[in-house]
Amino acid sequence: MKITIIDGQGGRMGKTVIEQLKKAHPDLELYAIGTNSIATAAMLKAGADYGATGENPCIVNAQDSDVIIGPIGITFANALLGEITPAIAVAIGASKAYKILIPVNRCNHYIVGCQEAALGEYIRQVCERVDEMLK
């Protein structure tokens, strides 16, 4: 199973996801794709097995991933302060991968029905969903 974590900015969300998934499943191979080198470095430091940076790695890895995890903004063109290009958003949206999107109410987006919670709670839910998929 190819699990790809996509994040931008400082990579904090992706870093936390990788740390928790590796703690629960050390043998899982995780692909860290950052929209910038700082995000990629943070996710690799957290324990990702593979890492790449930029638009093309986002597009290429979205094509053959089984699971894509990241902030909901990865599906919106120009989100994450412009780091998500229209091509990245289209590639992720068109991917057949199961998408686990972490809600972030920023950048003029509000996710209805999504309660405000700490990042740790969202990460716990991500890990539970991956656990279910691995069974």
Side-chain angles (χ1 to χ4, degrees):
M1 177 181 301
K2 182 175 181 179
I3 299 177
T4 302
I5 297 89
I6 300 175
D7 200 4
Q9 311 249 301
R12 179 175 163 240
M13 193 174 293
K15 173 183 179 278
T16 307
V17 167
I18 290 167
E19 287 171 346
Q20 295 304 311
L21 287 175
K22 280 293 189 176
K23 185 191 298 183
H25 304 283
D27 296 335
L28 217 55
E29 284 192 339
L30 302 177
Y31 292 73
I33 309 298
T35 58
N36 63 65
S37 59
I38 295 169
T40 304
M43 292 188 285
L44 284 168
K45 187 175 180 182
D49 299 287
Y50 308 99
T53 302
E55 179 182 71
N56 200 56
C58 287
I59 293 167
V60 169
N61 284 282
Q63 292 173 2
D64 67 349
S65 290
D66 297 302
V67 179
I68 296 173
I69 301 170
I72 196 166
I74 63 175
T75 62
F76 301 144
N78 304 316
L80 278 68
L81 298 176
E83 290 185 26
I84 302 300
T85 66
I88 291 172
V90 168
I92 293 168
S95 173
K96 294 189 184 311
Y98 185 83
K99 295 157 198 84
I100 302 175
L101 303 173
I102 301 167
V104 179
N105 292 324
R106 285 195 200 146
C107 301
N108 294 326
H109 297 105
Y110 177 78
I111 294 61
V112 175
C114 180
Q115 65 188 28
E116 292 287 331
L119 177 60
E121 173 58 23
Y122 291 134
I123 303 303
R124 186 188 63 72
Q125 292 176 30
V126 167
C127 291
E128 284 178 1
R129 182 58 58 140
V130 170
D131 287 343
E132 290 173 15
M133 295 176 73
L134 292 172
K135 291 180 182 176

